[in-house]
Structure formats: C-alpha cells, structure tokens
Amino acid sequence: MAWQRKIPFGYSIQNGKTEAHPTEAQAVRDIFRAYLSGHSYSQIAREMERLGVKYHQHTGQWNKHMVKRILENETYLGGRAYPRLIDSGDFLAVRLKCSDKTIGETRPREIDAIREKAVCASCGARMARDTRYKGQPTWRCQNGDCGQIVRMEDDAALKTLDRRLRELAALPHLLTLPKAKTDSTPSMDAVRIQRELDHAMNQGSESGELARMLVFAAAAEAYDAIPDPTPQHRMARLREKVAKGPVTEDILRELLETAVTAIRISKDGELALELKNGAVVQCGQEDQTA
C-alpha cells in the first residue's frame, strides 16, 4: 500500500542520507523505556496515540503489533547506514524480558484480554498478573504507594469480564465518543511554512521549485489538522451491531477492543469497565461518570 513505511520508524532520509528523525527516534527510546518499566504492547500503543505520535503519516492509530516490531528491530543498534538509537544494554534487556515472559508463569491466552487493560481500582495504576504465590493467579498494583494485591482465579476473572461486557452490550447508548474538535489555530510549523511560501511566491519564477515544495508542505500541515473520524465511525458501527443483535463472542471482543480503555480490578475481585467516553460499567449498575 502507498502509505507503508519504506524505512524503519525512527528514521528519515535527508539529502540521500539516513538520519534519526527527532520525534520518532525519541518515541523509539520511550517505547523501549516503557516496556522495560512493565507496560504492555497495547498500553504503549495507547500512549503513543495519546501523545499524537504517528507511525504512519495518514493516521495516528497504533496497535500492539507496531510496538512489537519496534522492540524486535535490531536496526536501532546502528549499522548499515542507520545511526544507533538504542543502547545495546537496553536492547538486550528487552530481548531477555520478551523471552522470559512465560517462565515461571502459565496463563490461558484469553486472560491477556484483561492483562493488557488491567488497572487498580484504588489508584488507577497498572495491574500485573503473576503466579508466584503457590501457583495462584495474583494481580498486583504496580504503584509502590498502593501495592494492592488481588488473588483471583482466571476462570472467575474471565466470567466476570464476560458478564460486564454483556451488561455493556445491553446499554448501547453508552457506545459513543465525543466529536473530534478541529483546532482553528494553525500550528507554528504551518505559520512558518506559509510565511516561507509567501516569500517564495514573491520571488517569482526563480524560486518555483521551492514554492512547489512549500505548497506540498502546507497541504500536508492542513491535512494533519483535519480530525480523524475513524474512531467515531468505528464506535457508531459497533453501536449499530450491538443494537441489532445478537450479541456474539465476536461482538464482545469488539466491545472490549473498541469501547473499553481500562479494566478496573478492585480488592474484592470485581471488574469494572472504563469506557473511552469516561463512563464506567460495574457490578450490574447502568453507568456512572469516571
């Protein structure tokens, strides 16, 4: 496809030479640091979206596979005309962590649906699952000041998640997102490009090539300023499918992926769904604000 990257994320080509892209290179370092701090692929992807970092220029959307590719890319160690972005020690630490993820712990694949979005209901910090306590699945708050521990069997967690998702499916009016706002204030880059374009146009035909380049740059800035309607469209389609029924396993998975931003785990082992619009579904209650 036309928008597929021709060079790895983190780099750009300037005057025929591969260089570190300032914004993307910093994002690569942040991704490695976040993963070593205990964040999952999906959590890192959501953080990149929140920060407005673009993996592909046509969209600001990320997914866990993009993050995984970055963490596995040896190009960031440098060589073959690519400058080094990641320290060898950090790259090795990520490799070891990836290979060590399942040592001493077994979990059904389905539990990853909870693991990737689990947060502490008390403080909002990430919750991590392990089986260090007599082989029993245990969820631990990663906030040292909170440290909440919840022991909960995987079957019980999955059944509770299924119940919450079915309760959400019975409330399709909650499946909404606020309309993306258009920022009418031009960015500093847009202002600079327009200023340079005005200057080039005033120079006449001698600056024709520069003017064409600036026109394309101005068009790109204008395109980036247009809000992406994709999240709202996906949510509207999902709301229609839920309202139409029936509620299948595929619908439940789509609800979790599209509408839910976090799964809150409380000390009594209850799960609550925090939706992307700020609503919360928990314990059979219809909804409440976050």
Side-chain angles (χ1 to χ4, degrees):
M1 289 182 288
W3 57 74
Q4 287 182 332
R5 299 188 62 93
K6 294 182 173 56
I7 60 174
F9 179 85
Y11 298 102
S12 62
I13 297 178
Q14 300 293 331
N15 299 320
K17 181 181 178 181
T18 304
E19 298 180 356
H21 185 286
T23 302
E24 292 184 0
Q26 184 58 51
V28 170
R29 299 183 188 102
D30 290 342
I31 286 170
F32 273 75
R33 188 158 41 245
Y35 186 75
L36 290 175
S37 297
H39 292 79
S40 69
Y41 296 154
S42 293
Q43 287 174 323
I44 296 172
R46 291 195 292 273
E47 181 63 7
M48 290 296 105
E49 289 185 353
R50 187 188 71 79
L51 293 174
V53 177
K54 289 188 175 182
Y55 187 92
H56 294 300
Q57 286 303 308
H58 74 289
T59 176
Q61 288 188 323
W62 281 69
N63 59 51
K64 60 184 180 182
H65 304 293
M66 296 174 182
V67 174
K68 185 174 185 292
R69 283 197 295 271
I70 288 172
L71 291 171
E72 294 176 347
N73 195 338
E74 296 182 11
T75 302
Y76 300 130
L77 292 173
R80 295 187 299 113
Y82 287 93
R84 177 188 289 268
L85 299 186
I86 295 298
D87 179 82
S88 299
D90 288 342
F91 192 88
L92 178 60
V94 166
R95 269 293 173 86
L96 292 175
K97 183 173 181 179
C98 288
S99 63
D100 193 47
K101 284 176 70 174
T102 58
I103 295 178
E105 175 187 355
T106 58
R107 65 175 185 269
R109 183 177 179 183
E110 295 83 356
I111 208 68
D112 284 343
I114 299 176
R115 182 174 171 269
E116 291 180 356
K117 298 190 177 187
V119 300
C120 176
S122 297
C123 70
R126 176 178 175 269
M127 292 282 277
R129 175 192 177 279
D130 63 57
T131 56
R132 289 177 289 177
Y133 180 77
K134 299 180 180 179
Q136 182 178 357
T138 302
W139 296 84
R140 302 176 188 273
C141 177
Q142 301 301 287
N143 176 7
D145 293 331
C146 174
Q148 178 169 270
I149 296 177
V150 180
R151 293 192 173 91
M152 176 171 48
E153 293 296 332
D154 291 334
D155 286 346
L158 290 170
K159 287 178 181 178
T160 304
L161 175 62
D162 182 84
R163 188 160 58 248
R164 291 291 92 80
L165 289 171
R166 291 184 185 279
E167 290 168 354
L168 175 58
L171 303 165
H173 68 277
L174 292 182
L175 301 177
T176 61
L177 284 177
K179 291 184 178 180
K181 295 181 179 179
T182 303
D183 188 357
S184 58
T185 304
S187 66
M188 291 299 296
D189 285 341
V191 172
R192 283 193 289 266
I193 291 170
Q194 187 60 51
R195 187 183 300 128
E196 290 295 326
L197 177 58
D198 292 341
H199 179 71
M201 296 298 289
N202 290 332
Q203 297 301 308
S205 58
E206 294 183 1
S207 301
E209 183 60 31
L210 174 61
R212 280 192 290 272
M213 292 175 59
L214 290 169
V215 166
F216 284 121
E221 285 292 322
Y223 179 82
D224 287 343
I226 300 174
D228 183 3
T230 305
Q232 286 79 10
H233 178 69
R234 290 178 61 192
M235 190 70 78
R237 289 284 303 275
L238 177 58
R239 185 169 61 252
E240 291 175 2
K241 286 194 283 186
V242 169
K244 183 178 179 180
V247 178
T248 63
E249 292 298 323
D250 287 340
I251 291 290
L252 295 180
R253 279 193 292 270
E254 191 172 353
L255 277 170
L256 182 60
E257 293 173 0
T258 303
V260 178
T261 190
I263 300 174
R264 299 179 182 178
I265 301 180
S266 61
K267 61 182 179 180
D268 58 359
E270 275 295 345
L271 305 184
L273 305 181
E274 181 179 335
L275 307 186
K276 292 182 178 180
N277 60 12
V280 176
V281 177
Q282 68 178 19
C283 300
Q285 298 174 358
E286 181 169 309
D287 65 275
Q288 53 186 312
T289 56

